[in-house]
Amino acid sequence: MRRIIIPFLIITICSFGVIASGIENKVVERPDSITMIDSLDLFRDITDISRQIERRTMQAKERIDSEVISPQQGADTPPNPIITPPDTIIIPPVSNPVARGTVSIIVKDSIPLFRNPLDSIYFRRENGTLQLPVNYNNVGSMNGLSFRDTLFYNPLFLPMIFTGKMLPRELSLYPVEEDHDKGALIPREKTFAPRLDHVDFVQKVRRDYYVKYPDRIRYSVASFDSIPSLESDDRVVRETFNPFRELIKVETAYSLDAPGIEGVTIGRKYWVRSGEHSFQFAQNYFSDNWHKGGVNNLNFNSLHILRANYHKDKVKFNNTLEWRLSVFNAPDDSLRKHRIGNDLIRYYGDFGVDAFGKGWSYSTNLEAKSQMFKAYPVNSNDLLSSFMSPLYVNAGIGLKYNIDKKSERVRHRRVRWELALAPISINYTYVLNNDVDVKRFGIDEGKKSQLDIGSTLTSILKYDITRYISWDSRLTYFTSYEKVISEFENSLNMALSNAFSTRIYVNMRFDDGVPADPKFKYLQVNQTLSFGLNYKW
């Protein structure tokens, strides 16, 4: 019994071993992965006709080389059979031998036609046409498609029509940087750059054709009555689609189309008007010999400035009307509870015509100033000044220089300066009220007016340091070559907001035609520090 069982077991184990090794070999021989076709490469194979022509030329050369029969092989020896897929088109047989160099070759009876990349997607019938899927026969599945969606073409094979585009797409007069792609996160071949290079290549080929063979170009875009528009669908939708049109169409009968607008010609504005108004609380100081008098104390200041400037071609006409008034309490005055401090009403105008250089003009100017209310000293009824007492009038003819410059580094910084030189000018002083002492204003006793002829220099500076800080300065200097009358006004404006501001005003006057003061001599000083409301327009 043992002699029978033991040999049987040995045979069984050996059989299982042989079967297992065969299965293992079959498993190893199976491929690990299946190669998939890249859809992008497939699309390029379909659309790029130049690539297909190149590939087919290479395939034809390889096929002819592989089909050459060596001289040792007899002509009667039948060639090896060629296995072709069922969807391959066969070229009719060619029986004549073809000579290639010194070697005789025989072309096979039938050569398989080169397969198109579309054969990997669709089936080909025996007559050579492609069999589309069944759902393509359904008309509903073709909605949204146009003839352009089913047409693949290469611009190099289109008819040559002259379009007039002779310049490159990116024409530059500067040298091209070699490392313009340095530091790019995406490689150039993964962007649209290769496609653009292909477009530039096509355009270059067409331009070269225009230049070399102009006689072969029969058509031009100018030969056609109309050229079809190639606007993108997105642009058409953006320009024509209005989602609210259908929503409102049922609810209202009003048209949603834009109403017609009639064009209006706007004439140039030659007059420019502006103004400045302020009402401020101030602390005031006057020198003892101030020509209008005054007491050091607290007061309320009011400032109003109106401007009307005309400019047309070479003609300029500037007008400025200014009124300053300060009212302050008088605790040390037993006769009055309130007094008038700085009271000034002034008009300044200049008329000019552009002259030889930039900023220069021939001009004539006029300045007239007086006051509105009466002014008295402390605890006295002696009248110091009143309306038209005094009245100062200055007029001259000469040249004027004007400059207006904005800073390029600091925003809102601006300098405006006017300099008027009047070599021939008059200075007229008049006192209307008989109760006013005329000697305080340089008029001889017994007279009510005085006229001086001389020269006048006027400088007006406006300096915007920042958007909220500005400095206004005004200097007038008149000389009759016997005496000098000069005033130097300075105002520093600091805006805290659009409505609140602080102003420091200092006015210094020099007049050597009046009696000298023991302390200040011929110098007169007026200083004001104020805070309050401010408005400009």
Side-chain angles (χ1 to χ4, degrees), residues 161-167 203 207 210 217 219-222:
I161 301 177
F162 183 70
T163 60
K165 298 180 180 180
M166 296 298 296
L167 297 179
Q203 295 295 338
R207 288 196 302 270
Y210 294 154
I217 302 176
Y219 300 100
S220 173
V221 291

Side-chain angles (χ1 to χ4, degrees), residues 189-240:
E189 59 273 6
K190 296 296 184 180
T191 62
F192 289 100
R195 304 288 297 175
L196 295 177
D197 293 342
H198 179 69
V199 173
D200 295 339
F201 171 74
V202 173
Q203 295 295 338
K204 182 179 182 300
V205 172
R206 297 179 73 89
R207 288 196 302 270
D208 295 342
Y209 191 86
Y210 294 154
V211 175
K212 295 181 180 179
Y213 308 103
D215 55 332
R216 300 184 183 179
I217 302 176
R218 301 182 179 179
Y219 300 100
S220 173
V221 291
S223 304
F224 299 94
D225 297 335
S226 61
I227 301 177
S229 175
L230 297 179
E231 296 181 353
S232 62
D233 296 339
D234 295 340
R235 181 178 177 183
V236 174
V237 170
R238 286 195 302 267
E239 294 180 356
T240 59

Side-chain angles (χ1 to χ4, degrees), residues 191-397:
T191 62
F192 289 100
R195 304 288 297 175
L196 295 177
D197 293 342
H198 179 69
V199 173
D200 295 339
F201 171 74
V202 173
Q203 295 295 338
K204 182 179 182 300
V205 172
R206 297 179 73 89
R207 288 196 302 270
D208 295 342
Y209 191 86
Y210 294 154
V211 175
K212 295 181 180 179
Y213 308 103
D215 55 332
R216 300 184 183 179
I217 302 176
R218 301 182 179 179
Y219 300 100
S220 173
V221 291
S223 304
F224 299 94
D225 297 335
S226 61
I227 301 177
S229 175
L230 297 179
E231 296 181 353
S232 62
D233 296 339
D234 295 340
R235 181 178 177 183
V236 174
V237 170
R238 286 195 302 267
E239 294 180 356
T240 59
F241 177 69
N242 186 355
F244 300 99
R245 185 183 300 274
E246 299 298 332
L247 295 177
I248 309 177
K249 184 176 181 180
V250 182
E251 300 179 3
T252 178
Y254 296 102
S255 175
L256 298 180
D257 298 333
I261 300 176
E262 297 181 359
V264 178
T265 303
I266 301 176
R268 183 174 179 179
K269 189 175 182 181
Y270 298 103
W271 282 98
V272 178
R273 300 173 178 83
S274 61
E276 180 179 354
H277 310 275
S278 66
F279 182 77
Q280 298 180 332
F281 172 81
Q283 172 268 333
N284 208 339
Y285 170 78
F286 294 92
S287 62
D288 296 337
N289 64 335
W290 183 249
H291 67 108
K292 297 181 183 178
V295 179
N296 306 333
N297 64 353
L298 302 178
N299 58 65
F300 295 93
N301 288 340
S302 176
L303 172 64
H304 303 276
I305 301 177
L306 300 176
R307 302 182 184 91
N309 300 330
Y310 176 84
H311 186 191
K312 181 179 180 180
D313 298 333
K314 296 184 177 182
V315 179
K316 298 178 182 179
F317 183 33
N318 301 323
N319 300 271
T320 303
L321 180 63
E322 178 182 358
W323 181 33
R324 295 177 182 269
L325 177 65
S326 64
V327 180
F328 58 93
N329 60 344
D332 55 346
D333 193 344
S334 59
L335 301 178
R336 301 166 194 84
K337 295 182 180 180
H338 305 283
R339 296 180 57 196
I340 302 298
N342 187 13
D343 185 7
L344 172 66
I345 179 171
R346 173 169 55 193
Y347 166 80
Y348 180 80
D350 64 86
F351 178 85
V353 179
D354 291 347
F356 45 86
K358 183 178 180 180
W360 288 95
S361 60
Y362 304 106
S363 68
T364 175
N365 58 78
L366 173 66
E367 181 182 15
K369 57 183 178 180
S370 182
Q371 65 185 60
M372 294 291 294
F373 302 98
K374 295 181 179 180
Y376 296 90
V378 180
N379 298 322
S380 175
N381 289 325
D382 297 336
L383 186 63
L384 296 177
S385 59
S386 64
F387 178 70
M388 299 287 288
S389 300
L391 169 65
Y392 296 103
V393 178
N394 182 275
I397 299 175

Side-chain angles (χ1 to χ4, degrees), residues 105-122:
I105 60 173
I106 297 178
V107 183
K108 297 182 179 180
D109 294 339
S110 60
I111 301 176
L113 186 64
F114 314 111
R115 299 185 59 188
N116 191 283
L118 291 175
D119 295 332
S120 60
I121 303 177
Y122 308 112

